mmCIF file of all heavy atoms in Angstrom:
data_model
loop_
_atom_site.group_PDB
_atom_site.id
_atom_site.type_symbol
_atom_site.label_atom_id
_atom_site.label_comp_id
_atom_site.label_asym_id
_atom_site.label_seq_id
_atom_site.Cartn_x
_atom_site.Cartn_y
_atom_site.Cartn_z
ATOM 1 N N ALA A 1 18.455 96.375 -95.775
ATOM 2 C CA ALA A 1 19.870 96.161 -95.708
ATOM 3 C C ALA A 1 20.658 97.403 -95.448
ATOM 4 O O ALA A 1 21.636 97.391 -94.668
ATOM 5 C CB ALA A 1 20.368 95.483 -97.022
ATOM 6 N N LEU A 2 20.338 98.438 -96.108
ATOM 7 C CA LEU A 2 20.942 99.833 -95.993
ATOM 8 C C LEU A 2 20.794 100.345 -94.541
ATOM 9 O O LEU A 2 21.764 100.978 -93.982
ATOM 10 C CB LEU A 2 20.533 100.758 -96.976
ATOM 11 C CG LEU A 2 20.897 100.491 -98.446
ATOM 12 C CD1 LEU A 2 20.114 101.334 -99.394
ATOM 13 C CD2 LEU A 2 22.432 100.652 -98.629
ATOM 14 N N VAL A 3 19.646 100.185 -93.949
ATOM 15 C CA VAL A 3 19.413 100.603 -92.593
ATOM 16 C C VAL A 3 20.467 100.101 -91.577
ATOM 17 O O VAL A 3 20.783 100.710 -90.601
ATOM 18 C CB VAL A 3 17.937 100.391 -92.195
ATOM 19 C CG1 VAL A 3 17.782 100.619 -90.712
ATOM 20 C CG2 VAL A 3 16.975 101.346 -92.928
ATOM 21 N N ASP A 4 20.734 98.832 -91.787
ATOM 22 C CA ASP A 4 21.697 98.139 -90.935
ATOM 23 C C ASP A 4 23.144 98.654 -91.052
ATOM 24 O O ASP A 4 24.019 98.214 -90.276
ATOM 25 C CB ASP A 4 21.643 96.634 -91.069
ATOM 26 C CG ASP A 4 20.275 96.057 -90.761
ATOM 27 O OD1 ASP A 4 19.637 96.649 -89.858
ATOM 28 O OD2 ASP A 4 19.944 95.030 -91.268
ATOM 29 N N GLY A 5 23.452 99.405 -92.088
ATOM 30 C CA GLY A 5 24.822 99.810 -92.331
ATOM 31 C C GLY A 5 25.110 101.204 -91.751
ATOM 32 O O GLY A 5 24.265 101.709 -90.962
ATOM 33 N N GLU A 6 26.192 101.743 -92.086
ATOM 34 C CA GLU A 6 26.562 103.146 -91.592
ATOM 35 C C GLU A 6 25.671 104.070 -92.209
ATOM 36 O O GLU A 6 25.254 104.082 -93.350
ATOM 37 C CB GLU A 6 28.034 103.349 -92.037
ATOM 38 C CG GLU A 6 28.589 104.687 -91.445
ATOM 39 C CD GLU A 6 30.027 104.859 -91.993
ATOM 40 O OE1 GLU A 6 30.629 104.005 -92.491
ATOM 41 O OE2 GLU A 6 30.564 106.059 -91.805
ATOM 42 N N PRO A 7 25.241 105.071 -91.381
ATOM 43 C CA PRO A 7 24.320 106.089 -91.922
ATOM 44 C C PRO A 7 24.928 107.022 -92.974
ATOM 45 O O PRO A 7 26.092 107.200 -92.993
ATOM 46 C CB PRO A 7 23.878 106.829 -90.624
ATOM 47 C CG PRO A 7 25.041 106.746 -89.673
ATOM 48 C CD PRO A 7 25.582 105.328 -89.993
ATOM 49 N N PHE A 8 24.058 107.570 -93.711
ATOM 50 C CA PHE A 8 24.471 108.467 -94.828
ATOM 51 C C PHE A 8 24.339 109.873 -94.347
ATOM 52 O O PHE A 8 23.541 110.219 -93.536
ATOM 53 C CB PHE A 8 23.628 108.231 -96.083
ATOM 54 C CG PHE A 8 23.882 106.852 -96.686
ATOM 55 C CD1 PHE A 8 23.095 105.839 -96.294
ATOM 56 C CD2 PHE A 8 24.883 106.756 -97.743
ATOM 57 C CE1 PHE A 8 23.315 104.474 -96.913
ATOM 58 C CE2 PHE A 8 25.081 105.470 -98.277
ATOM 59 C CZ PHE A 8 24.259 104.396 -97.856
ATOM 60 N N ASP A 9 25.139 110.813 -94.977
ATOM 61 C CA ASP A 9 25.128 112.212 -94.629
ATOM 62 C C ASP A 9 24.001 112.909 -95.483
ATOM 63 O O ASP A 9 23.491 113.912 -95.042
ATOM 64 C CB ASP A 9 26.418 112.875 -94.923
ATOM 65 C CG ASP A 9 27.490 112.265 -94.023
ATOM 66 O OD1 ASP A 9 27.429 112.452 -92.816
ATOM 67 O OD2 ASP A 9 28.409 111.563 -94.622
ATOM 68 N N ALA A 10 23.594 112.308 -96.565
ATOM 69 C CA ALA A 10 22.553 112.970 -97.404
ATOM 70 C C ALA A 10 21.908 111.908 -98.264
ATOM 71 O O ALA A 10 22.556 110.907 -98.660
ATOM 72 C CB ALA A 10 23.126 114.106 -98.316
ATOM 73 N N LEU A 11 20.764 112.143 -98.634
ATOM 74 C CA LEU A 11 19.952 111.272 -99.469
ATOM 75 C C LEU A 11 19.344 112.181 -100.641
ATOM 76 O O LEU A 11 18.704 113.180 -100.375
ATOM 77 C CB LEU A 11 18.733 110.622 -98.724
ATOM 78 C CG LEU A 11 17.774 109.878 -99.610
ATOM 79 C CD1 LEU A 11 18.335 108.605 -100.316
ATOM 80 C CD2 LEU A 11 16.534 109.388 -98.800
ATOM 81 N N THR A 12 19.644 111.802 -101.921
ATOM 82 C CA THR A 12 19.149 112.570 -103.012
ATOM 83 C C THR A 12 18.250 111.642 -103.892
ATOM 84 O O THR A 12 18.778 110.543 -104.233
ATOM 85 C CB THR A 12 20.319 113.156 -103.836
ATOM 86 O OG1 THR A 12 21.156 112.063 -104.238
ATOM 87 C CG2 THR A 12 21.021 114.137 -102.977
ATOM 88 N N LEU A 13 17.089 111.992 -104.242
ATOM 89 C CA LEU A 13 16.072 111.128 -104.911
ATOM 90 C C LEU A 13 15.504 111.880 -106.139
ATOM 91 O O LEU A 13 15.196 113.050 -106.109
ATOM 92 C CB LEU A 13 14.940 110.766 -103.984
ATOM 93 C CG LEU A 13 15.297 110.114 -102.720
ATOM 94 C CD1 LEU A 13 14.015 109.982 -101.811
ATOM 95 C CD2 LEU A 13 15.818 108.734 -102.964
ATOM 96 N N ASP A 14 15.519 111.113 -107.307
ATOM 97 C CA ASP A 14 15.020 111.578 -108.518
ATOM 98 C C ASP A 14 14.087 110.428 -108.992
ATOM 99 O O ASP A 14 14.362 109.905 -110.100
ATOM 100 C CB ASP A 14 15.947 112.041 -109.495
ATOM 101 C CG ASP A 14 15.346 112.609 -110.742
ATOM 102 O OD1 ASP A 14 14.183 112.723 -110.885
ATOM 103 O OD2 ASP A 14 16.106 112.807 -111.710
ATOM 104 N N THR A 15 13.116 109.969 -108.211
ATOM 105 C CA THR A 15 12.350 108.808 -108.533
ATOM 106 C C THR A 15 10.842 109.102 -108.273
ATOM 107 O O THR A 15 10.486 109.911 -107.451
ATOM 108 C CB THR A 15 12.765 107.590 -107.761
ATOM 109 O OG1 THR A 15 12.526 107.920 -106.381
ATOM 110 C CG2 THR A 15 14.217 107.293 -107.975
ATOM 111 N N GLY A 16 9.971 108.360 -109.003
ATOM 112 C CA GLY A 16 8.535 108.559 -108.775
ATOM 113 C C GLY A 16 8.134 108.033 -107.507
ATOM 114 O O GLY A 16 7.073 108.609 -106.958
ATOM 115 N N ASP A 17 8.779 107.103 -106.818
ATOM 116 C CA ASP A 17 8.351 106.578 -105.554
ATOM 117 C C ASP A 17 9.119 107.272 -104.384
ATOM 118 O O ASP A 17 9.197 106.735 -103.235
ATOM 119 C CB ASP A 17 8.493 105.036 -105.466
ATOM 120 C CG ASP A 17 10.021 104.605 -105.641
ATOM 121 O OD1 ASP A 17 10.885 105.512 -105.891
ATOM 122 O OD2 ASP A 17 10.346 103.521 -105.617
ATOM 123 N N ALA A 18 9.592 108.462 -104.577
ATOM 124 C CA ALA A 18 10.443 109.138 -103.542
ATOM 125 C C ALA A 18 9.638 109.307 -102.227
ATOM 126 O O ALA A 18 10.290 109.058 -101.177
ATOM 127 C CB ALA A 18 10.849 110.500 -104.118
ATOM 128 N N PRO A 19 8.372 109.566 -102.272
ATOM 129 C CA PRO A 19 7.678 109.720 -100.999
ATOM 130 C C PRO A 19 7.692 108.476 -100.129
ATOM 131 O O PRO A 19 7.838 108.583 -98.918
ATOM 132 C CB PRO A 19 6.234 110.092 -101.428
ATOM 133 C CG PRO A 19 6.376 110.766 -102.774
ATOM 134 C CD PRO A 19 7.528 110.033 -103.391
ATOM 135 N N ALA A 20 7.625 107.296 -100.733
ATOM 136 C CA ALA A 20 7.685 106.059 -99.985
ATOM 137 C C ALA A 20 9.082 105.974 -99.340
ATOM 138 O O ALA A 20 9.240 105.358 -98.266
ATOM 139 C CB ALA A 20 7.377 104.872 -100.893
ATOM 140 N N VAL A 21 10.103 106.373 -99.966
ATOM 141 C CA VAL A 21 11.416 106.287 -99.507
ATOM 142 C C VAL A 21 11.602 107.317 -98.339
ATOM 143 O O VAL A 21 12.276 106.927 -97.320
ATOM 144 C CB VAL A 21 12.544 106.529 -100.587
ATOM 145 C CG1 VAL A 21 14.038 106.494 -99.934
ATOM 146 C CG2 VAL A 21 12.400 105.541 -101.671
ATOM 147 N N VAL A 22 11.046 108.475 -98.505
ATOM 148 C CA VAL A 22 11.185 109.508 -97.535
ATOM 149 C C VAL A 22 10.611 109.086 -96.249
ATOM 150 O O VAL A 22 11.105 109.417 -95.111
ATOM 151 C CB VAL A 22 10.526 110.815 -98.066
ATOM 152 C CG1 VAL A 22 10.404 111.846 -96.840
ATOM 153 C CG2 VAL A 22 11.311 111.396 -99.217
ATOM 154 N N GLU A 23 9.595 108.247 -96.255
ATOM 155 C CA GLU A 23 8.901 107.788 -94.971
ATOM 156 C C GLU A 23 9.915 107.036 -94.072
ATOM 157 O O GLU A 23 9.671 107.030 -92.833
ATOM 158 C CB GLU A 23 7.745 106.904 -95.384
ATOM 159 C CG GLU A 23 6.618 107.649 -96.071
ATOM 160 C CD GLU A 23 5.493 106.724 -96.407
ATOM 161 O OE1 GLU A 23 5.590 105.443 -96.241
ATOM 162 O OE2 GLU A 23 4.471 107.158 -97.007
ATOM 163 N N ARG A 24 10.956 106.464 -94.679
ATOM 164 C CA ARG A 24 11.875 105.660 -93.912
ATOM 165 C C ARG A 24 13.278 106.247 -93.938
ATOM 166 O O ARG A 24 14.213 105.708 -93.373
ATOM 167 C CB ARG A 24 11.991 104.220 -94.477
ATOM 168 C CG ARG A 24 10.681 103.417 -94.409
ATOM 169 C CD ARG A 24 10.938 101.992 -94.816
ATOM 170 N NE ARG A 24 12.002 101.336 -93.938
ATOM 171 C CZ ARG A 24 12.527 100.234 -94.191
ATOM 172 N NH1 ARG A 24 12.130 99.585 -95.245
ATOM 173 N NH2 ARG A 24 13.374 99.742 -93.426
ATOM 174 N N VAL A 25 13.420 107.492 -94.416
ATOM 175 C CA VAL A 25 14.707 107.982 -94.577
ATOM 176 C C VAL A 25 15.502 108.363 -93.270
ATOM 177 O O VAL A 25 16.682 108.414 -93.207
ATOM 178 C CB VAL A 25 14.712 109.303 -95.508
ATOM 179 C CG1 VAL A 25 14.104 110.423 -94.775
ATOM 180 C CG2 VAL A 25 16.035 109.608 -96.094
ATOM 181 N N ASP A 26 14.645 108.607 -92.267
ATOM 182 C CA ASP A 26 15.386 108.951 -90.957
ATOM 183 C C ASP A 26 16.091 107.768 -90.431
ATOM 184 O O ASP A 26 17.032 107.925 -89.533
ATOM 185 C CB ASP A 26 14.249 109.457 -89.972
ATOM 186 C CG ASP A 26 13.276 108.330 -89.617
ATOM 187 O OD1 ASP A 26 12.930 107.642 -90.521
ATOM 188 O OD2 ASP A 26 12.795 108.339 -88.447
ATOM 189 N N ASP A 27 15.842 106.549 -90.871
ATOM 190 C CA ASP A 27 16.593 105.390 -90.400
ATOM 191 C C ASP A 27 17.865 105.287 -91.200
ATOM 192 O O ASP A 27 18.778 104.547 -90.924
ATOM 193 C CB ASP A 27 15.850 104.111 -90.691
ATOM 194 C CG ASP A 27 14.573 104.102 -89.802
ATOM 195 O OD1 ASP A 27 14.698 104.549 -88.605
ATOM 196 O OD2 ASP A 27 13.591 103.502 -90.286
ATOM 197 N N LEU A 28 17.992 106.016 -92.374
ATOM 198 C CA LEU A 28 19.211 105.921 -93.214
ATOM 199 C C LEU A 28 20.169 107.083 -92.962
ATOM 200 O O LEU A 28 21.365 106.886 -93.243
ATOM 201 C CB LEU A 28 18.712 105.978 -94.673
ATOM 202 C CG LEU A 28 17.878 104.798 -95.240
ATOM 203 C CD1 LEU A 28 17.282 105.136 -96.658
ATOM 204 C CD2 LEU A 28 18.735 103.642 -95.244
ATOM 205 N N LEU A 29 19.692 108.199 -92.493
ATOM 206 C CA LEU A 29 20.520 109.386 -92.403
ATOM 207 C C LEU A 29 21.075 109.534 -91.001
ATOM 208 O O LEU A 29 20.468 109.250 -90.070
ATOM 209 C CB LEU A 29 19.626 110.682 -92.732
ATOM 210 C CG LEU A 29 19.312 110.878 -94.298
ATOM 211 C CD1 LEU A 29 18.376 111.990 -94.458
ATOM 212 C CD2 LEU A 29 20.592 111.009 -95.076
ATOM 213 N N ALA A 30 22.308 110.179 -90.973
ATOM 214 C CA ALA A 30 22.897 110.490 -89.658
ATOM 215 C C ALA A 30 22.069 111.781 -89.126
ATOM 216 O O ALA A 30 21.375 112.373 -89.936
ATOM 217 C CB ALA A 30 24.341 110.893 -89.930
ATOM 218 N N PRO A 31 22.122 111.880 -87.813
ATOM 219 C CA PRO A 31 21.431 113.034 -87.237
ATOM 220 C C PRO A 31 21.887 114.391 -87.952
ATOM 221 O O PRO A 31 23.053 114.593 -88.147
ATOM 222 C CB PRO A 31 21.916 113.092 -85.787
ATOM 223 C CG PRO A 31 22.242 111.570 -85.544
ATOM 224 C CD PRO A 31 22.856 111.108 -86.800
ATOM 225 N N GLY A 32 20.795 115.046 -88.365
ATOM 226 C CA GLY A 32 21.106 116.350 -89.097
ATOM 227 C C GLY A 32 21.402 116.162 -90.573
ATOM 228 O O GLY A 32 21.746 117.095 -91.333
ATOM 229 N N GLY A 33 21.396 114.906 -91.012
ATOM 230 C CA GLY A 33 21.586 114.671 -92.441
ATOM 231 C C GLY A 33 20.519 115.284 -93.367
ATOM 232 O O GLY A 33 19.449 115.688 -92.892
ATOM 233 N N ARG A 34 20.931 115.498 -94.588
ATOM 234 C CA ARG A 34 20.080 116.308 -95.524
ATOM 235 C C ARG A 34 19.379 115.413 -96.567
ATOM 236 O O ARG A 34 19.964 114.505 -97.066
ATOM 237 C CB ARG A 34 21.060 117.308 -96.258
ATOM 238 C CG ARG A 34 21.626 118.353 -95.288
ATOM 239 C CD ARG A 34 20.590 119.328 -94.722
ATOM 240 N NE ARG A 34 21.257 120.281 -93.748
ATOM 241 C CZ ARG A 34 20.631 121.390 -93.484
ATOM 242 N NH1 ARG A 34 19.438 121.728 -93.914
ATOM 243 N NH2 ARG A 34 21.267 122.178 -92.527
ATOM 244 N N LEU A 35 18.169 115.833 -96.883
ATOM 245 C CA LEU A 35 17.349 115.217 -97.923
ATOM 246 C C LEU A 35 17.106 116.147 -99.066
ATOM 247 O O LEU A 35 16.852 117.368 -98.878
ATOM 248 C CB LEU A 35 16.043 114.751 -97.291
ATOM 249 C CG LEU A 35 14.955 114.329 -98.249
ATOM 250 C CD1 LEU A 35 15.274 113.027 -98.885
ATOM 251 C CD2 LEU A 35 13.521 114.286 -97.578
#
């Protein structure tokens, strides 16, 4: 659902499953966005 919305400028994660989210994070972030 989030991928279909406006991209984010940054993604901050403090979770045990962070690597699984990182695999798809380029679909969530604007070009040059920060992780």
